[in-house]
Amino acid sequence: MSHNNRPIGVFDSGIGGLTVLRELFRILPEESTVYLGDTARVPYGSKSGDTVVRYSLEVAEFLVKQGIKLFVIACNTASAYALQELKKRLKIPVIGVIEPGAKAAIEATRTKRIGIIGTEGTIKSNSYINAINAIRDRKIEGIMEHGEKSLDRYFEIRSDDFVIFTKACPLFVSLAEEGWTANDVALLTARYYLKGLKKENPDTLVLGCTHYPVLKNIISKVMGPDVRLIDSAIETAKMVKGILEEGNMEKESDEKPSREFYVTDSPERFVKVGERFLEQKIEHIEKIDIGGN
Ligand code: DGL
């Protein structure tokens, strides 16, 4: 393939994927992008796999029509459930956030004790575990549930010499959107959610949800300075760069890159919260209709 000036498509259930877009801007500042946040149907994290796949296919159809050269699923939940189906159906490269995060976790861990946090859907799907095992050619050997109440519940998943602890932290999404990332409520919530995982002494923790990088400081404060946090957003942007270079698909023209945004609900809230996530202005935003509920 020759050089390619078409935009990169980035898809998320809403605002959170802007953490991935922000890293793409940093790592690939010359590339044009089209971002779609399915704000009318967010959250995906508490929906069934079938629904998430259906939504993702509708979003992909819209973005492919915009002439994108590569499709980034910035949403962890959509990556967990729809990556395979999207790879099968689209004729362009499709990248999810799970594999890059899984790879980085394997590289980072010394003690082979890894924590993974995400939405209920991502945790239920075991997709980070499957990705970590697939890279290492291993299988799940045992799953144990810990904790009594749902707030305390976390899972211990063993395969060979690796032990992985997973925990759904759904309230982190609301905290991040509210901008409560450094106050007492955020700290208390993080302490509650991470209590079990911390006790297990992982040396690496994967932030398996678009919103969690915004809460990095609080999460690190709770887990302690020795726990390495893996930001899937950064790892995914690096992978996108690698794929563009390998396929000779980088933008070549000197024209200023375009940054387009689409949402499925009214843009006001997206712009307000999104500019904080993105750390820059959002212009060129449009509301679109892509499907039912
Ligand atoms: N984007 C979702 C994820 O990364 C979080 C928000 C949602 O539940 O839709 O899993």
Side-chain angles (χ1 to χ4, degrees):
M1 225 181 282
S2 62
H3 282 275
N4 191 325
N5 296 328
R6 287 181 291 141
I8 296 171
V10 182
F11 150 51
D12 183 48
S13 56
I15 290 167
L18 294 177
T19 55
V20 176
L21 192 67
R22 185 180 62 194
E23 297 309 327
L24 282 172
F25 286 175
R26 266 192 205 142
I27 292 183
L28 294 161
E30 297 309 321
E31 293 292 333
S32 294
T33 55
V34 188
Y35 181 95
L36 194 153
D38 194 4
T39 47
R41 303 188 290 194
V42 69
Y44 282 15
S46 51
K47 300 214 164 63
S48 72
D50 286 352
T51 301
V52 172
V53 171
R54 179 163 56 83
Y55 289 176
S56 303
L57 291 175
E58 286 168 0
V59 168
E61 195 184 329
F62 175 85
L63 281 176
V64 166
K65 276 193 199 137
Q66 308 312 304
I68 57 170
K69 62 180 169 188
L70 186 140
F71 186 73
V72 180
I73 315 172
C75 178
N76 285 258
T77 312
S79 299
Y81 287 111
L83 177 70
Q84 295 317 325
E85 194 58 34
L86 285 164
K87 272 190 167 169
K88 235 190 283 167
R89 296 205 191 195
L90 304 194
K91 293 191 181 72
I92 51 174
V94 180
I95 298 170
V97 282
I98 306 243
E99 201 195 321
K103 260 196 194 138
I106 295 171
E107 278 161 26
T109 187
R110 296 287 164 266
T111 60
K112 300 184 170 121
R113 296 175 78 79
I114 300 174
I116 291 165
I117 52 176
T119 64
E120 283 174 278
T122 300
I123 296 304
K124 217 187 293 165
S125 74
N126 271 341
S127 41
Y128 271 102
I129 321 281
N130 294 336
I132 289 173
N133 283 343
I135 294 165
R136 301 172 60 247
D137 197 18
R138 299 291 197 285
K139 281 201 178 68
I140 293 179
E141 283 173 7
I143 303 185
M144 250 163 81
E145 199 176 314
H146 298 277
E148 284 143 37
K149 294 175 263 128
S150 67
L151 202 61
D152 296 335
R153 186 174 306 137
Y154 67 97
F155 297 91
E156 173 181 338
I157 298 139
R158 294 189 168 262
S159 44
D160 187 32
D161 51 344
F162 268 56
V163 194
I164 301 175
F165 304 94
T166 65
K167 168 88 188 137
C169 308
L171 281 178
F172 280 173
V173 169
S174 317
L175 287 173
E177 294 210 357
E178 203 58 39
W180 287 13
T181 53
N183 65 11
D184 293 352
V185 183
L187 185 62
L188 205 63
T189 310
R191 281 207 180 118
Y192 250 102
Y193 274 148
L194 301 174
K195 200 166 52 186
L197 254 55
K198 186 176 158 67
K199 219 174 53 203
E200 300 288 356
N201 273 325
D203 71 343
T204 304
L205 180 71
V206 179
L207 307 177
C209 173
T210 46
H211 290 61
Y212 298 0
V214 180
L215 290 155
K216 236 186 217 170
N217 290 344
I218 284 274
I219 293 171
S220 182
K221 194 165 172 184
V222 172
M223 293 304 289
D226 297 336
V227 177
R228 175 116 183 249
L229 301 186
I230 302 294
D231 183 336
S232 299
I234 297 176
E235 304 307 326
T236 304
K238 284 191 214 155
M239 190 180 252
V240 171
K241 185 172 196 278
I243 288 177
L244 291 185
E245 283 171 0
E246 245 170 62
N248 213 7
M249 291 164 71
E250 304 115 300
K251 173 162 163 285
E252 207 179 31
S253 89
D254 294 333
E255 257 175 52
K256 205 169 153 246
S258 63
R259 273 99 170 75
E260 282 169 32
F261 294 87
Y262 293 96
V263 282
T264 52
D265 197 6
S266 85
E268 283 83 41
R269 183 176 150 78
F270 181 90
V271 171
K272 195 166 138 248
V273 182
E275 287 184 344
R276 204 174 57 228
F277 273 51
L278 200 56
E279 295 165 355
Q280 59 177 269
K281 285 254 161 263
I282 292 176
E283 291 154 336
H284 310 292
I285 183 160
E286 200 182 308
K287 177 184 177 296
I288 47 139
D289 258 334
I290 50 167
N293 284 320

